[in-house]
Amino acid sequence: MTDTNKKRLLLVDGSSYLFRAYHALPPLTSSRGEATGAIRGVVNMLQKTLQEWQPDYVGIVFDAKGKTFRNDLYPEYKANRPPMPDDLRTQIEPIHDFVRAMGLPLLMVPDVEADDVIGTLAVQATTHGLQTVISTGDKDMAQLVNPDVSLINTMSNTHMDEDGVKQKFGVRPDQIIDYLALIGDTSDNVPGVPKVGPKTAEKWLHQYQTLDAVMADAENFKGKIGENLRSSLEQLPLSRELVTIKTDVELTETPESLLQSELDLSTLQSLVERFEFSTGVEQFTRGNETPVEEKQPEKSEDLNYQVIFDKHDFQAWLKRLKAADVFAFDSETDNLDYMQAQLVGVSFAVQENEAAYVPVGHDYPGAPEQLDRQWVLDQLKPLLEDDRQIKVGQHMKYDMDVLGNYGIQLRGVRYDTMLESYVLNSVATRHDMDSLAKKYLGVDTVHYEDVAGKGAKQLSFNQVPLDTAAPYAAEDADITLKLHHVLTGKLSAEKKLSSVLNDIEIPLIPVLSKMERTGVLVDSDLLHQQSQELSERMLALEQQSHDEAKQTFNLGSPKQLQKILFEDLQLPVIKKTPKGQPSTAEDVLQELANDYELPRLILEFRSLSKLKSTYTDKLPLQIDKDTGRVHTSYHQAVAATGRLSSTSPNLQNIPIRTEEGRRIRQAFIAPPGTVLLAADYSQIEL
């Protein structure tokens, strides 16, 4: 329990923040190509933690460059860790610059790790009568927990005191060091006792209390686990030393010296501009510690969303739409497959904070009576097909495809917020509405999962009750309009980018929609025949592999393959997994295949298996029952280079260099009296 009468020291494990932010966020970059994801993540996490805990003293601790005393104790310490990615390494110094400019004490001490600096300060703080909160994701820190020291995890939003340590690990904080020594740590390459996991370590420490007592009674442990313990007795003291956080590091700082200083606004301004944060330095002002990338969300009482059930209200909105210079339009359906999707409702907005939803297909038990779908579409058709009536949407190609199911050719699409964001900066964020609203508006939108649920129990939209479906759908139109106002303002200052949007991307929408709805003809009989041939070839390869290995095994099992290649056949280990095991990844097998037959056979088997599962087996199942064709989706806002991508199915990645791949391509055929023409602008991205 935290003593609110004591002053509070907040210690932030900056190195933990760094890696967690890097892996949690997409690979964001600035317009100059500088990586920014970890920078934004760490800064936001710091802002949030400071706001929540309001510490009297604070220290942000990072690992110093170079090796530590643990490497002297054990040269293999952390030896199996891959090198730090270059795009993460370049973000470390800017993060340090942000920390200093925010007036936060930054600590990096050579020859020890951040954990040791934090441990030393936590012990000092306890003796000085302070309460210490350590912000980290590192399990090793649990050994520091006591009545005056607790841990917080900003990613999982959890706070761990002594009882929390017992709940999570099954042992007391004072037993954590012994617990870690027994189980080892694969990420740090600290050896434990083989086959001893958390449950066994917990059981032993419950019975014996300490590692020393376990070791003293090692002769009485039976079976293989006893053998493993006895064979580890010599190394266990070293493992214990490696996982023990030092609490006596010589520091120039004391807990009471870790005071926040004034913000360096000029430096913050230059950093914000350089790394293209969407808001300025005002977000760093003390007392307003909202995350840098966010604005304050709109209050729900400021919003005016209407659900339309009668023709009079609909006609009033239709009149407003016709009079508007531009209006936002969105459709709600019961299926992501545009060829099979049925319209459940439409929403629109002509000014911010005001929107309407017209339900036409909610059919759950007890659903209220709604306007007739065909009547609504008949009323909307002249407006939707009017090229002079300007519309904006989020991913309008999907709406265009769906409306095509009802004989409506959507025209007048001048703007698309997904494409506006993509053209402005293709790698700054994902381009879905939720991500864009968060980045450019500071708004946490209602997600589809919030109203429809998740996983196997997720409802289709026609089953979602209107009291939750209507605000969600109306918000889509409102947010689209708000995003358009922000993004078009940013693009107006970039004439070349505006030209890409207006002359290339927007005119491409109806072209791609027509391609998608037209689909492509596939010879399913030929694919079935090829699938059978691939099965026969795979069976032969499997038998050859068994003969080569002199044993039967599952070719799809990395674990069995690892044993056969590197233990039984003693092939050279090219690369290791993060857990220190020999890798059987494709690039490893390709290198081994130059000199050894079994890896070559495995690679060929994998290649044929992928062709079979991805194409010859799956493509016939993706033929639309109404058109008899395969309908892919072409994506304009996915590839950072600007090229199109294709999914469901992916028709762009069918191999052409192998005979099997070329045969699959032969299954794509032209109708009688027509031909297929292939054109390729080689290396257009370059």
Side-chain angles (χ1 to χ4, degrees), residues 314-315 318 321-322 327 329 343 346 348 372-389 391 403-412:
F314 179 84
Q315 294 288 1
L318 191 60
L321 296 178
K322 289 177 180 177
F327 68 87
F329 175 82
L343 198 67
V346 292
F348 18 72
D372 178 72
R373 179 191 289 133
Q374 194 56 54
W375 182 85
V376 168
L377 290 173
D378 289 343
Q379 302 301 306
L380 284 173
K381 182 171 180 171
L383 179 73
L384 295 176
E385 292 189 338
D386 188 348
D387 191 48
R388 297 163 300 175
Q389 188 75 55
K391 294 104 180 164
L403 290 170
N405 294 339
Y406 297 93
I408 295 175
Q409 295 183 19
L410 183 60
R411 299 189 182 95

Side-chain angles (χ1 to χ4, degrees), residues 30-262:
S30 69
S31 59
R32 292 183 299 279
E34 290 184 290
T36 64
I39 299 171
R40 295 167 189 242
V42 170
V43 170
N44 281 333
M45 289 160 74
L46 284 174
Q47 294 270 83
K48 180 183 176 184
T49 306
L50 288 167
Q51 181 187 27
E52 183 174 352
W53 289 92
Q54 298 289 317
D56 300 285
Y57 311 101
V58 59
I60 316 299
V61 189
F62 281 85
D63 289 326
K65 288 182 181 178
K67 295 184 176 182
T68 71
F69 73 94
R70 290 182 177 86
N71 298 105
D72 297 329
L73 288 172
Y74 183 53
E76 295 299 304
Y77 182 66
K78 295 188 177 181
N80 58 7
R81 283 197 181 183
M84 182 182 289
D86 290 339
D87 63 334
L88 175 57
R89 191 185 308 280
T90 60
Q91 298 181 73
I92 295 176
E93 197 55 45
I95 289 171
H96 292 170
D97 292 340
F98 262 110
V99 170
R100 294 185 187 100
M102 291 166 68
L104 303 172
L106 176 67
L107 292 85
M108 291 178 290
V109 180
D111 199 41
V112 295
E113 296 180 52
D115 296 14
D116 304 309
V117 177
I118 289 172
T120 300
L121 287 167
V123 168
Q124 290 179 3
T126 299
T127 61
H128 295 190
L130 304 178
Q131 196 86 35
T132 302
V133 176
I134 301 171
S135 183
T136 183
D138 188 347
K139 66 181 183 299
D140 293 11
M141 295 280 198
Q143 65 188 266
L144 299 173
V145 172
N146 61 45
D148 290 312
V149 179
S150 59
L151 308 182
I152 56 170
N153 187 326
T154 58
M155 300 291 271
S156 59
N157 200 28
T158 54
H159 181 208
M160 190 186 298
D161 56 11
E162 289 179 296
D163 288 337
V165 172
K166 289 179 195 172
Q167 272 191 333
K168 184 173 178 64
F169 300 101
V171 297
R172 303 185 307 270
D174 63 286
Q175 294 175 305
I176 286 289
I177 292 172
D178 291 352
Y179 171 88
L180 294 172
L182 283 168
I183 66 172
D185 189 334
T186 53
S187 66
D188 287 348
N189 202 30
V190 175
V193 177
K195 305 298 182 184
V196 169
K199 290 299 180 187
T200 303
E202 177 187 339
K203 176 184 167 186
W204 287 359
L205 290 173
H206 270 229
Q207 182 178 351
Y208 289 91
Q209 296 300 309
T210 68
L211 177 60
D212 288 330
V214 170
M215 294 168 66
D217 200 35
E219 289 303 319
N220 293 318
F221 283 73
K222 293 182 172 56
K224 183 66 175 174
I225 201 86
E227 291 177 27
N228 291 343
L229 174 60
R230 287 185 287 277
S231 67
S232 303
L233 290 176
E234 189 176 338
Q235 139 268 298
L236 274 170
L238 172 63
S239 294
R240 178 163 55 188
E241 190 170 1
L242 291 172
V243 299
T244 300
I245 294 174
K246 281 177 69 71
T247 57
D248 58 354
V249 178
E250 288 190 24
L251 300 174
T252 55
E253 299 85 353
T254 64
E256 289 90 346
S257 71
L258 300 177
L259 295 167
Q260 292 178 251
S261 57
E262 290 298 313

Side-chain angles (χ1 to χ4, degrees), residues 22 27 84 111 191 211 249 384 392 407 504 632 648 677:
Y22 177 75
M84 182 182 289
D111 199 41
L211 177 60
V249 178
L384 295 176
V392 59
I504 299 175
T632 187
S648 304
L677 172 67

Side-chain angles (χ1 to χ4, degrees), residues 472-665:
Y472 164 83
E475 183 187 65
D476 280 357
D478 181 28
I479 291 293
T480 297
L481 192 64
K482 290 175 179 176
L483 282 171
H484 168 61
H485 290 158
V486 171
L487 292 168
T488 197
K490 292 177 178 292
L491 280 165
S492 62
E494 304 280 352
K495 290 187 178 179
K496 288 184 178 179
L497 295 183
S498 295
S499 175
V500 171
L501 178 70
N502 298 322
D503 300 336
I504 299 175
E505 298 292 357
I506 296 296
L508 191 57
I509 295 174
V511 176
L512 293 177
S513 175
K514 187 174 181 181
M515 289 170 60
E516 289 178 345
R517 289 190 54 76
T518 300
V520 60
L521 201 57
V522 174
D523 186 338
S524 59
D525 291 337
L526 182 57
L527 288 170
H528 285 308
Q529 179 186 332
Q530 291 175 0
S531 194
Q532 182 61 36
E533 292 171 2
L534 288 173
S535 291
E536 293 170 3
R537 176 67 184 134
M538 287 167 62
L539 196 61
L541 285 168
E542 187 174 39
Q543 187 58 53
Q544 286 177 264
S545 299
H546 292 166
D547 293 344
E548 192 69 27
K550 295 182 175 55
Q551 59 184 292
T552 60
F553 66 99
N554 179 359
L555 272 67
S557 168
K559 191 171 183 180
Q560 291 183 34
L561 187 59
Q562 185 184 88
K563 178 181 181 299
I564 288 168
L565 292 179
F566 303 111
E567 293 181 22
D568 299 347
L569 299 181
Q570 292 290 301
L571 270 56
V573 175
I574 306 295
K575 189 167 68 175
K576 290 189 176 182
T577 68
K579 292 187 176 181
Q581 300 298 313
S583 172
T584 59
E586 186 160 338
D587 59 335
V588 171
L589 294 182
Q590 284 172 344
E591 189 169 340
L592 291 171
N594 294 326
D595 301 305
Y596 303 98
E597 179 67 3
L598 184 56
R600 186 194 68 77
L601 294 170
I602 298 293
L603 281 174
E604 187 176 353
F605 180 89
R606 284 184 180 180
S607 173
L608 297 185
S609 176
K610 184 175 181 181
L611 288 177
K612 186 175 184 296
S613 62
T614 307
Y615 298 110
T616 61
D617 286 353
K618 197 171 182 181
L619 276 173
L621 303 177
Q622 294 175 298
I623 296 174
D624 186 88
K625 59 182 173 53
D626 298 319
T627 67
R629 289 169 169 250
V630 171
H631 299 268
T632 187
S633 291
Y634 293 105
H635 302 289
Q636 292 172 263
V638 173
T641 57
R643 67 170 176 83
L644 295 174
S645 65
S646 160
T647 60
S648 304
N650 183 346
L651 299 184
Q652 293 182 323
N653 279 13
I654 303 174
I656 197 171
R657 293 190 177 93
T658 64
E659 176 60 30
E660 292 83 2
R662 289 192 291 272
R663 290 200 63 205
I664 291 171
R665 287 169 176 253

